[in-house]
């Protein structure tokens, strides 16, 4: 029991004054939040923030490292937790973590013509080994531009002062030259956070004021000391998902490298007024596909600490107050429009190609966000640039863009091919020399080699910079095809070849883009073709083959649109190509010993060829993909001297890739239509169970009569099918597959093969 007493007026006044002072002190209580690094695991911080906000716990300061810097910077930029969670759960975020682009961000015009390359190595002339090893595992192009849009504009609109953000903010990066941690409190916000996130060998490193920066977790993975020294809050809440590396073992290379790279971090608070939340999750550093689980784990773990935090933090913030403050903060951010561009590079002088590809300065052009984004990704696709990092500064109501461009190494070596259990093994080598200045140019030499197929190609291309770019190319190509009348595997003897095709052509090409995923090509070339063949299966090594030479000119126009996810065995995206070609030339026929005539024949031929192909995956789920694929050809060419020579000039239907390695007369016609389905089951993102099935309908077919005469059949005769079933593992180098093909009109309709690589070849001269 206690006795109630009456206070006199003076005592009541003193008591109320003390209460008021105490109340004012409690409302002035400041809370700091420290977020550790941790990759995908670090996204559990979002769940922690979510729990704190629901309880009304105020966040007055934030410091973060790596993933903690990303989450903290988004919160400090005035984004709500609903917006942050939706962002990291989006498909765009997943693409960023994989180093990929959206289909609309690819720039087909700049993509090199598909070949069988599986591995490429860039190197400089002065150092082949030292400067050739890659320093990044994924591309950061998408990530860097998104951070410019989201963080760069926020920081620039608030004078690049991190104390002026919605929540005052600090992040840390690592200076590996001086072996020290670097704290960012000002400067471009996107640059600071990107520096803090640059995990060695995963992302391309960037320089800040001339210093190469890496992930802040190397030297300070839990910047509680930064919080204490820079802000000195009344109470510190830590969210930590990391620990120091375990001691290395003799047979664990990763543990050895980790201990060599990463210094000891202090995961304790520098004062007693605080608490550390340690979310437990099974999500590992690079498992970004499990972001939702990490957030939920962070939220559930934080709930366990809320009562304890509430005992020490009496001040509360309502959702309405936060929403109003966020709205007021975001309204002052200047929308991203660019009116000036200044470039820097790793070269002696700025690369003029960069600025002239982005903006028409003489016309005082102001780029909208959409225009800037399109042109940025176009420029990023330039093979002569290995890295492009965007920075901005606020002018007035527009921004000045300062893209930092890093030139690619001068040489690129490509290695690949197609290695199969059938006798169609083909190797591929390519070497490119690249240069960039006022224009971007490249000289490419490549070669396929193997008994079935051999080729050599030399090409020079120059890209003329403009916001509406064009490129000019000159090229020379030789192809040789040696077909076998056999489905042999390496366990069987291969029968002698019955058909050899040689091609040589040279010409010029003019390319220009039509949108990011489309381009138009005009081409003119001179060609020389030679076909060596027997018109009977009964020949010996003493017989000589018939020879048909066809020399002339061809002119073509092509439109192509491509957003497929792979250069072969695609499972998502869309593809369309239309090509119109005019051919004129002179045929010369030289009979061999098995020919029915001894007469040398010469004829003049001219024709038009119209060719269209499409592929579209209209069902594109993570584990199931379904699309349609078709091709149609109209050809007005006249007949050549004999049946075989005529057949060889006709267009072939070969949408199953392995059909390219066979000579099938039943799939050759001057006019045809073929259509089929692509059904793909993907139990893993790198494993496909694939079925491709096609129906082929020729409008007319070429027929040979018993008396040796030949001509076209009646319309719509000769329809047939082709199909393929495969198990494909998409390795980092190329597809590894086991395939069963079905060609019903062959003596052995089913054929099985194991293969590694791409069934891709240089373009044919006219066929």
């Amino acid at each position: 029991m206690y006795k109630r007493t009456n206070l006199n007026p003076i005592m009541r006044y003193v008591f109320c004054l003390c209460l008021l002072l105490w109340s004012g002190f409690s409302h002035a209580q400041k809370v700091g939040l420290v977020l550790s690094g941790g990759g995908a695991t670090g996204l559990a911080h979002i769940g922690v923030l979510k729990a704190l906000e629901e309880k009304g716990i105020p966040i007055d300061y934030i410091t973060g490292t790596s993933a903690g810097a990303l989450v903290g910077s988004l919160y400090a930029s005035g984004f709500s937790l609903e917006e942050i969670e939706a962002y990291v759960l989006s498909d765009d975020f997943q693409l960023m973590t994989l180093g990929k682009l959206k289909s609309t961000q690819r720039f087909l015009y700049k993509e090199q013509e598909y070949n069988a390359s599986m591995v490429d190595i860039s190197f400089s002339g002065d150092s082949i080994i030292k400067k050739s090893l890659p320093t990044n595992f994924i591309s950061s192009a998408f990530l860097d531009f998104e951070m410019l849009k989201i963080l760069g504009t926020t920081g620039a609109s608030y004078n690049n002062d991190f104390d002026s953000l919605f929540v005052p903010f600090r992040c840390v990066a690592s200076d590996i030259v001086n072996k020290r941690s670097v704290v960012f409190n000002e400067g471009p916000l996107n640059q600071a956070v990107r520096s803090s996130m640059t995990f060695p060998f995963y992302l391309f490193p960037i320089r800040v004021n001339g210093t190469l920066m890496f992930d802040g977790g190397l030297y300070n993975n839990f910047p509680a000391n930064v919080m204490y020294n820079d802000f000195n809050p009344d109470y510190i809440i830590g969210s930590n998902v990391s620990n120091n590396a375990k001691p290395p073992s003799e047979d664990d290379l990763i543990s050895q490298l980790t201990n060599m790279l990463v210094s000891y971090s202090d995961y304790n608070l520098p004062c007693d007024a605080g608490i550390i939340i340690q979310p437990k999750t099974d999500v590992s550093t690079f498992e970004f596909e499990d972001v939702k689980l990490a957030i939920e784990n962070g939220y559930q773990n934080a709930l366990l600490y809320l009562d304890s935090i509430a005992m020490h933090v009496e001040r509360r913030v309502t959702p309405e107050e936060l929403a109003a403050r966020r709205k007021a903060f975001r309204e002052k951010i200047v929308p991203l429009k660019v009116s000036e561009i200044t470039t820097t590079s790793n070269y002696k002088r700025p690369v003029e190609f960069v600025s002239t590809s982005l903006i028409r300065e003489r016309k005082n052009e102001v780029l909208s966000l959409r225009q800037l984004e399109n042109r940025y990704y176009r420029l990023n696709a330039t093979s002569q640039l290995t890295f492009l990092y965007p920075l901005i500064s606020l002018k007035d109501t527009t921004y000045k863009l300062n893209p930092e461009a890093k030139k690619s190494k001068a040489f690129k070596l490509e290695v690949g091919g197609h290695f199969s259990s059938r006798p169609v093994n083909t190797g591929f080598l390519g070497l490119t020399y690249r240069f960039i200045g006022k224009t971007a140019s490249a000289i490419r030499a490549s070669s396929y080699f193997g008994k079935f197929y051999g080729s050599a190609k030399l090409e020079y291309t120059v890209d003329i910079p403009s916001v509406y770019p064009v490129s000019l190319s000159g090229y020379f190509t030789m192809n040789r095809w040696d077909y076998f009348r056999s489905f042999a595997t390496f366990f069987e003897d291969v029968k002698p070849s019955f058909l050899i095709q040689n091609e040589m052509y040279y010409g010029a090409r003019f390319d220009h883009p039509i949108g990011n995923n489309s381009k138009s090509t005009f081409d003119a070339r001179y060609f020389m073709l030679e076909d060596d063949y027997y018109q009977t299966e009964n020949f010996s090594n003493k017989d000589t083959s018939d020879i048909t030479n066809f020399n002339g000119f061809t002119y073509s126009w092509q439109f192509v649109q491509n957003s497929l996810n792979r250069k072969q065995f695609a499972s998502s995206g869309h593809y369309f190509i239309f090509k119109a070609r005019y051919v004129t030339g002179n045929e010369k026929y030289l009979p061999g010993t098995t020919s029915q005539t001894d007469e040398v024949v010469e004829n003049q031929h001219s024709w038009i060829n119209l060719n269209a192909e499409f592929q579209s995956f209209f069902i594109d789920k993570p584990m199931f993909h379904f699309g349609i694929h078709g091709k149609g050809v109209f050809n007005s060419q006249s007949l050549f001297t004999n049946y075989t020579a005529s057949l060889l000039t006709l267009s072939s239907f070969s949408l199953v890739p392995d059909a390219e390695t066979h000579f099938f007369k039943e799939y050759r016609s001057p006019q045809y239509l073929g259509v089929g389905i692509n059904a793909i089951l993907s139990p893993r993102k790198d494993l496909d169970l694939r079925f491709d099935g096609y129906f082929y309908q020729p409008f007319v077919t070429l027929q040979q009569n018993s008396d040796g005469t030949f001509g076209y059949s009646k319309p719509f005769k000769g329809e047939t099918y082709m199909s393929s079933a495969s198990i494909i593992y998409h390795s980092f180098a190329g597809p590894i597959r086991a395939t069963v093909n079905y060609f019903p009109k062959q003596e052995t309709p089913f054929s099985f093969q194991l293969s590694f690589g791409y069934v891709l070849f240089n373009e044919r001269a006219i066929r």
Side-chain angles (χ1 to χ4, degrees), residues 542-739:
K542 295 180 181 180
D543 289 316
T544 58
S545 63
D546 291 12
I547 298 175
T548 295
N549 293 311
F550 185 51
N551 302 336
F553 293 90
T554 179
Y555 310 94
S556 67
W557 173 76
Q558 173 180 285
F559 170 81
V560 60
Q561 184 178 42
N562 187 2
S563 61
L564 295 177
N565 63 331
R566 300 188 184 103
K567 63 182 177 181
Q568 198 163 51
F569 308 112
S571 60
S572 68
H574 309 280
Y575 175 79
F576 174 77
I577 183 172
F578 174 79
K579 191 169 190 175
R581 179 188 294 280
Y582 173 73
V583 180
T584 182
N586 183 67
E587 173 203 6
K588 184 175 183 179
Y589 169 66
L590 303 173
T593 57
T594 62
S595 175
Q596 295 180 355
T597 178
D598 294 330
E599 183 180 356
V600 176
V601 180
E602 291 193 43
N603 288 310
Q604 188 72 25
H605 298 275
S606 298
W607 69 81
I608 293 174
N609 183 290
L610 304 178
N611 185 318
E613 181 182 344
F614 71 94
Q615 187 173 25
S616 178
F617 289 93
F618 54 89
I619 297 178
D620 186 12
K621 303 296 182 182
M623 295 188 66
F624 182 69
H625 315 268
F626 187 86
I628 54 175
H629 190 188
K631 183 178 181 180
V633 170
F634 174 83
N635 196 336
S636 67
Q637 74 180 76
S638 55
L639 296 173
F640 275 49
T641 302
N642 59 62
Y643 169 77
T644 305
S646 299
L647 191 67
L648 291 173
T649 61
L650 297 181
S651 301
S652 65
F653 177 76
S654 54
L655 296 188
V656 168
D658 292 324
E660 290 276 8
T661 64
H662 296 282
F663 182 81
F664 292 140
K665 63 181 181 180
E666 61 266 32
Y667 297 110
R668 288 177 174 259
S669 172
Q671 298 103 30
Y672 66 78
L673 179 65
V675 65
I677 62 169
N678 310 123
I680 302 140
L681 183 66
S682 303
R684 292 177 41 177
K685 62 183 179 181
D686 53 4
L687 182 66
D688 288 344
L689 307 179
R690 183 183 186 104
F691 173 79
D692 304 300
Y694 298 93
F695 172 73
Y696 166 72
Q697 176 64 71
F699 297 162
V700 293
T701 59
L702 191 64
Q703 290 185 337
Q704 187 174 31
N705 303 316
S706 58
D707 61 358
T709 61
F710 64 99
Y712 288 125
S713 68
K714 294 181 179 180
F716 302 104
K717 298 292 184 181
E719 67 276 2
T720 186
Y721 303 87
M722 69 167 57
S723 61
S724 175
S726 302
I727 301 174
I728 307 176
Y729 172 66
H730 298 278
S731 72
F732 73 94
I736 302 171
R737 63 190 173 99
T739 300

Side-chain angles (χ1 to χ4, degrees), residues 360-376:
R360 294 174 291 187
E361 293 180 339
R362 294 181 181 179
K363 294 188 176 183
N364 297 319
E365 186 178 29
V366 177
L367 299 180
S368 66
L369 173 59
R370 183 175 179 180
Q371 289 174 313
L372 176 63
E373 187 169 6
N374 285 339
R375 295 178 190 180
Y376 168 82

